[in-house]
Amino acid sequence: MLKKIKKITDLHRELTEARKSKKKISLVPTMGNLHEGHLSLIKHAQNISEYVVVSIFVNPTQFVAGEDYNKYPRTLDADTESISKLDVNLVFTPDTNEIYSDNYQTPIEVPVSYLESIHCGKSRPGHFRGVVTVVSELFNIVQPDIAIFGEKDYQQLLIIRNLVKNLFLPIEIISLPTVREESGLAMSSRNNYLSQSDRQRAPMLYECIKTTIKSIKNGVKDYVDLEKEAKLFLEKAGFKIDYYSICDLDTLRSPINENLVILAAVWLGKTRLIDNARVHTYD
Ligand code: PAF
C-alpha cells in the first residue's frame, strides 16, 4: 500500500521501520508530471531494492529567473495514481516550506566548477546550484542506499555523481537510458509545452544527433565541423541553438579519445529541449 507523506518527521518514522528490517532503500527524485521515463526509473528501483521512495517536488531553486517555475506542470493526483499501480512504498510530496524554510540560508555548491559553468550551467546560471541543493537535502532526508536518475539530464547526472563522490556520501548512484517516444523524441515534461507543429519537428533533434554519431563512426574526426554542420541543419529546420557539443563522456571537456557524448539544448518556440547520446552505445 502506497504511503503518501508530506512531512519530514513522518517520513523519518516510516523509514526507521524500513531500516530496522534491514531493507535496502532506493530513492527516485522527481519533479512530478511522471512519464514513461520516470516509470522506468521506478521499476528499476523495485528490481534492485526492497523499499522504494519516490519524491515529487518542483524545486524552485533550480529555476532561473524568468523560467517556467510557475507553469511547470503539476499533476500530483495523476502521478500518485500511476505510482500506486507500481510497487512503490512511499511517495514524498513536501510543500516548499518543508524543504526551504523562510530563512533558508544554506545553498550547496559542489567543487565541480567546470562542469557547472558549461552548457546548461552557462545558459541557466544557478540552475545546478539549485539541483545539488535539493538533491543533497533529499539525500539527507531519505538517506537512501541507492538513488536513480535518468541519463536525459546527462550534465546533471555527472554533477550529482561528483557531489556523492566528493562529499563521500554512502549512496550508490544508478543511471538509466533516456526513454523516447516512437518518434525518437526524448520524453520530458516540457514536451507538453510544444505546439502541434513543433511537436512534429522536435524529433529532428535526435535525428541530428544520430547523424553526427554516424559521421563519427564513419571516421570523421573534425568535431568542430560536425558541430557546425549539425547546428546549421537544426537552424534550417527552425530550431534555435543553445549548444550542440561533442565532448568527453566523463568530463564534458573537449574530446581526447573516442569516449564521447553529444549534448544538445535547443529552443523550439518558447520550449527548451535537451537531449544527448553516447557515441559508443548507439547502433
Ligand atoms: O531531474 C529532475 O527532475 C530534477 O532536477 C531533480 C533531480 C528531481 C531535482 O529537482
Side-chain angles (χ1 to χ4, degrees):
M1 173 79 178
L2 177 67
K3 296 207 166 73
K4 299 170 198 167
I5 288 185
K6 288 180 94 65
K7 295 282 176 201
I8 294 169
T9 45
D10 295 339
L11 180 107
H12 280 160
R13 201 170 311 119
E14 288 299 330
L15 292 182
T16 304
E17 287 309 308
R19 270 193 206 95
K20 266 190 209 151
S21 41
K22 303 248 180 289
K23 289 187 173 156
K24 194 177 253 195
I25 299 172
S26 60
L27 169 67
V28 182
T30 80
M31 297 210 298
N33 194 238
L34 303 181
H35 50 63
E36 285 300 324
H38 298 110
L39 299 186
S40 78
L41 307 182
I42 296 171
K43 285 174 191 159
H44 190 72
Q46 290 165 346
N47 290 337
I48 57 167
S49 63
E50 289 94 37
Y51 196 98
V52 179
V53 179
V54 175
S55 65
I56 298 182
F57 178 63
V58 183
N59 172 37
T61 64
Q62 71 187 78
F63 290 80
V64 176
E67 286 190 341
D68 54 343
Y69 174 66
N70 286 329
K71 75 165 186 178
Y72 196 85
R74 288 156 172 87
T75 51
L76 196 53
D77 288 346
D79 291 346
T80 34
E81 165 96 31
S82 53
I83 291 177
S84 56
K85 291 187 191 127
L86 302 173
D87 209 6
V88 171
N89 300 81
L90 194 156
V91 59
F92 179 49
T93 59
D95 289 334
T96 309
N97 282 345
E98 189 72 3
I99 299 294
Y100 299 112
S101 60
D102 285 348
N103 60 353
Y104 190 85
Q105 286 173 6
T106 323
I108 311 280
E109 304 266 7
V110 283
V112 282
S113 53
Y114 177 74
L115 263 184
E116 282 184 318
S117 67
I118 55 167
H119 304 327
C120 285
K122 191 168 172 197
S123 323
R124 307 180 67 193
H127 165 68
F128 286 124
R129 178 170 138 145
V131 170
V132 292
T133 299
V134 80
V135 168
S136 306
E137 286 193 76
L138 290 168
F139 284 174
N140 285 329
I141 293 166
V142 177
Q143 298 185 16
D145 300 291
I146 298 168
I148 308 185
F149 296 86
E151 289 170 6
K152 168 153 176 298
D153 297 296
Y154 190 75
Q155 191 176 1
Q156 165 177 287
L157 174 66
L158 292 189
I159 287 173
I160 291 169
R161 282 194 188 285
N162 274 347
L163 168 78
V164 166
K165 189 167 142 220
N166 294 340
L167 300 184
F168 305 103
L169 303 180
I171 300 172
E172 184 187 354
I173 301 297
I174 291 183
S175 72
L176 291 184
T178 303
V179 176
R180 299 181 180 279
E181 294 181 0
E182 237 171 64
S183 64
L185 177 64
M187 289 203 181
S188 161
S189 302
R190 290 192 168 98
N191 292 349
N192 292 322
Y193 302 153
L194 290 167
S195 69
Q196 222 179 352
S197 61
D198 283 343
R199 218 188 159 88
Q200 308 271 313
R201 215 179 319 191
M204 290 173 86
L205 175 58
Y206 187 51
E207 286 305 313
C208 181
I209 292 176
K210 287 195 293 189
T211 305
T212 306
I213 290 175
K214 264 188 201 136
S215 303
I216 295 172
K217 287 195 159 175
N218 286 339
V220 180
K221 289 265 183 274
D222 190 339
Y223 299 148
V224 174
D225 206 49
L226 282 179
E227 287 170 359
K228 264 193 215 150
E229 228 173 68
K231 286 181 195 170
L232 207 66
F233 167 81
L234 289 168
E235 269 162 8
K236 277 196 183 141
F239 294 78
K240 204 170 139 248
I241 316 297
D242 182 348
Y243 59 82
Y244 190 100
S245 180
I246 303 168
C247 32
D248 179 83
L249 186 66
D250 300 316
T251 62
L252 302 192
R253 289 182 186 268
S254 297
I256 43 166
N257 55 33
E258 303 295 296
N259 222 7
L260 304 172
V261 63
I262 298 174
L263 297 182
V266 295
W267 289 90
L268 262 182
K270 290 198 170 120
T271 309
R272 186 171 185 275
L273 302 175
I274 61 171
D275 203 350
N276 71 78
R278 295 174 198 205
V279 171
H280 67 272
T281 49
Y282 169 67
D283 41 62

